[in-house]
């Protein structure tokens, strides 16, 4: 009875939060629309596109990285607004016109900088979440020359991209955006830039660790639902021991999370704390095993063989997270769990996939 009441209470709180968010966004949208002067056509200098990237993760940034590259190839100037979660990543993008830091506690410098950049087109490229409150406020204060969004629900967008299949993989909405801007979708792919120093550090680590082929194993995702249990981690590393003559396992992840995993003859924890050095290790790997979508997207960017594990999760639109944020490339093997936590799943099917993949790599 208590569990049932807690579940009902959580559902009520969720619905209440969604209702409050919709109300706030509608009010902001209406207020912004009333103060904006909607302009038709493209004025001279409006090939400058600004993409706000607030409240998003590393995986999201990797998916959109290829969009930036494609836009720049087609003579658009692209700037990004990023918060502390992804600013470090965009800082390494070579082709950005400019990068702006979003500090929720000190927005005035950003607002002043953006006003000076007008005219520009702001592209609000993500699904509607709480971060859109920040984006709507930016539009309200800065008054971009034009705005592009992905939904008809709010009045502050001048143009709305037609999403052909809302339940398809996330990359398809960026293809729709490119087509909206009259750019061939065939030019789009994921993109990750690794600084030379981080690449060198990772190569040195590998050189000092092994001369065998590498299996990169990421046992922990960004949320606990994507954590392998200790028993599952042990099962994977022990299973890999029978391949010790050909392969070496490198454990990737945040240092405080992976520190308790023991090293062994064929298993070594990565001690280079940089995300970029971890990305370089993936680039050098023969196989990647990951429940973490950030590294799933890194693996796709470098076209690596991949086993990725997705616990069951429905998004706000009732779309399946494994569809929307899946690996979406031929070298990936996706394990779609019925369980909501990786640690609750049977590890044996994953071990069987490891055998299949290593057999292919060894041939």
């Amino acid at each position: 009875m208590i569990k049932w009441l807690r579940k009902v209470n959580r559902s009520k709180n969720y619905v209440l939060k969604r209702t409050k968010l919709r109300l706030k966004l509608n009010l902001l949208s209406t207020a912004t629309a009333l103060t904006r002067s909607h302009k038709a056509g493209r004025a001279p200098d409006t090939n400058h596109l600004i993409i706000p990237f607030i409240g998003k993760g590393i995986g999201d940034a990797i998916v959109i990285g290829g969009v930036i590259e494609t836009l720049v190839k087609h003579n658009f100037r692209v700037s990004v607004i990023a918060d502390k979660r992804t600013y470090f990543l965009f800082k390494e993008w070579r082709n950005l016109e400019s990068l702006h830091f979003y500090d929720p506690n000190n927005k005035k410098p950003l607002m002043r900088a953006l006003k000076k950049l007008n005219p520009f087109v702001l592209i609000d490229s993500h699904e509607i979440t709480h971060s859109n409150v920040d984006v709507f406020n930016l539009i309200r204060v800065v008054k971009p020359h034009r705005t592009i969004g992905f939904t008809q629900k709010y009045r502050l967008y001048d143009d709305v991209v037609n999403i052909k299949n809302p339940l398809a993989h996330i990359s398809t909405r960026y293809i729709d955006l490119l087509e909206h801007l009259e750019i061939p979708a065939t030019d789009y792919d994921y993109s990750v830039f690794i600084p030379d120093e981080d690449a060198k550090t990772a190569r040195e680590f590998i050189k000092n660790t092994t001369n065998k082929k590498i299996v990169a194993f990421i046992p922990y995702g960004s949320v606990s639902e994507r954590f392998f249990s200790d028993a599952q981690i042990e099962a994977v590393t022990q299973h890999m021991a029978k391949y010790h003559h050909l392969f070496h396992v490198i454990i990737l992840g945040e240092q405080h999370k992976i520190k308790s995993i023991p090293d062994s003859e064929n298993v070594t924890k990565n001690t280079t704390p940089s995300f970029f050095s971890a990305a370089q290790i993936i680039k050098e790997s023969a196989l990647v095993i990951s429940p973490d979508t950030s590294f799933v997207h890194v693996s796709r960017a470098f076209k690596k063989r991949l086993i990725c594990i997705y616990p069951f999760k429905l998004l706000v639109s009732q779309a399946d997270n494994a569809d929307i944020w899946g690996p979406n490339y031929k070298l990936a093997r996706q394990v779609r769990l019925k369980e909501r936590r990786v640690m609750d799943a049977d590890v044996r099917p994953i071990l069987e996939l490891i055998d299949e993949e290593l057999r292919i790599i060894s041939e």
Side-chain angles (χ1 to χ4, degrees):
M1 183 66 177
I2 293 175
K3 287 184 179 179
W4 180 81
L5 287 172
R6 284 175 179 169
K7 186 177 180 180
V8 169
N9 192 47
R10 282 197 299 269
S11 298
K12 284 183 178 178
N13 288 339
Y14 176 78
V15 171
L16 184 61
K17 285 180 181 178
R18 295 297 304 172
T19 302
K20 284 182 177 179
L21 175 61
R22 283 196 297 269
L23 178 61
K24 183 179 284 189
L25 290 176
N26 275 315
L27 289 172
L28 271 172
S29 174
T30 301
T32 304
L34 290 173
T35 59
R36 281 177 50 73
S37 58
H38 292 256
K39 304 175 178 120
R42 182 184 293 174
D45 299 328
T46 56
N47 69 329
H48 187 187
L49 309 178
I50 294 187
I51 303 174
F53 210 82
I54 301 167
K56 309 301 176 186
I58 292 172
D60 309 66
I62 292 167
V63 174
I64 208 171
V67 178
I68 295 170
E69 290 296 290
T70 306
L71 289 169
V72 171
K73 281 181 188 175
H74 287 82
N75 301 315
F76 284 94
R77 297 178 296 133
V78 182
S79 296
V80 168
I81 303 166
D83 59 20
K84 63 181 181 180
R85 291 179 67 190
T86 56
Y87 184 87
F88 80 97
L89 193 65
F90 286 111
K91 197 174 179 183
E92 302 304 326
W93 251 260
R94 293 178 293 228
N95 295 327
L96 285 181
E97 178 78 8
S98 58
L99 174 62
H100 305 273
F101 182 65
Y102 180 80
D103 181 353
N105 299 314
N106 186 17
K107 303 171 190 174
K108 288 183 180 179
L110 172 62
M111 301 295 191
R112 285 195 296 268
L114 292 177
K115 286 179 179 179
K116 289 179 182 178
L117 291 177
N118 251 328
F120 62 81
V121 178
L122 185 140
I123 301 178
D124 188 7
S125 64
H126 293 280
E127 69 279 7
I128 298 298
T129 65
H130 281 85
S131 66
N132 285 85
V133 173
D134 303 285
V135 176
F136 283 19
N137 269 317
L138 281 177
I139 295 171
R140 180 180 61 84
V141 175
V142 176
K143 297 179 175 60
H145 177 75
R146 290 191 70 76
T147 56
I148 297 176
F150 285 75
T151 176
Q152 298 277 4
K153 291 180 180 179
Y154 302 102
R155 296 174 55 193
L156 76 173
Y157 300 126
D158 299 301
D159 299 313
V160 175
V161 176
N162 177 34
I163 301 178
K164 297 185 182 70
N165 189 350
L167 300 182
H169 191 266
I170 189 68
S171 60
T172 61
R173 70 164 47 212
Y174 294 125
I175 292 170
D176 293 335
L177 169 64
L178 294 173
E179 290 178 351
H180 181 84
L181 296 171
E182 301 179 350
I183 294 174
T186 51
D187 289 354
Y188 166 65
D189 205 350
Y190 292 11
S191 184
V192 178
F193 292 119
I194 301 175
D196 292 341
E197 190 62 33
D198 292 279
K200 180 181 177 183
T201 299
R203 291 192 191 104
E204 284 294 319
F205 173 79
I206 293 170
K207 182 180 177 182
N208 294 330
T209 299
T210 185
N211 58 4
K212 300 169 187 173
K213 292 180 180 178
I214 297 167
V215 174
F217 178 31
I218 301 95
Y220 303 114
S222 57
V223 293
S224 60
E225 288 80 7
R226 294 181 177 273
F227 287 12
F228 276 78
S229 68
D230 291 345
Q232 288 170 327
I233 294 169
E234 185 178 1
V236 171
T237 55
Q238 287 188 356
H239 188 77
M240 286 297 304
K242 67 181 182 180
Y243 298 101
H244 70 93
H245 56 295
L246 290 175
F247 297 96
H248 192 90
V249 178
I250 295 182
I251 306 289
L252 299 178
E254 296 175 55
Q255 298 293 298
H256 71 279
K257 288 181 181 177
I258 66 173
K259 67 179 182 180
S260 63
I261 301 173
D263 288 348
S264 65
E265 180 186 354
N266 69 307
V267 177
T268 304
K269 293 188 295 292
N270 174 36
T271 55
T272 62
S274 162
F275 166 82
F276 294 111
S277 59
Q280 182 66 35
I281 290 172
I282 285 179
K283 188 176 181 180
E284 306 277 343
S285 296
L287 175 66
V288 181
I289 305 167
S290 177
D292 184 273
T293 51
S294 298
F295 287 110
V296 167
H297 301 321
V298 171
S299 299
R300 174 178 164 174
F302 295 127
K303 303 297 187 290
K304 309 308 297 184
R305 299 199 74 89
L306 168 71
I307 298 171
C308 54
I309 300 90
Y310 280 64
F312 180 75
K313 178 183 178 182
L314 292 179
L315 304 176
V316 172
S317 60
Q318 293 303 297
D320 192 323
N321 182 69
D323 293 327
I324 303 295
W325 291 100
N328 198 38
Y329 71 110
K330 290 181 179 179
L331 292 176
R333 307 284 295 274
Q334 186 184 37
V335 180
R336 300 168 67 119
L337 302 176
K338 295 178 181 178
E339 296 83 1
R340 294 182 179 274
R341 302 190 305 173
V342 172
M343 64 180 64
D344 295 330
D346 185 352
V347 75
R348 286 174 295 182
I350 299 170
L351 302 182
E352 291 171 5
L353 274 182
I354 291 172
D355 288 337
E356 290 178 23
E357 288 296 304
L358 296 186
R359 197 177 303 122
I360 293 169
I361 294 168
S362 301
E363 288 177 350

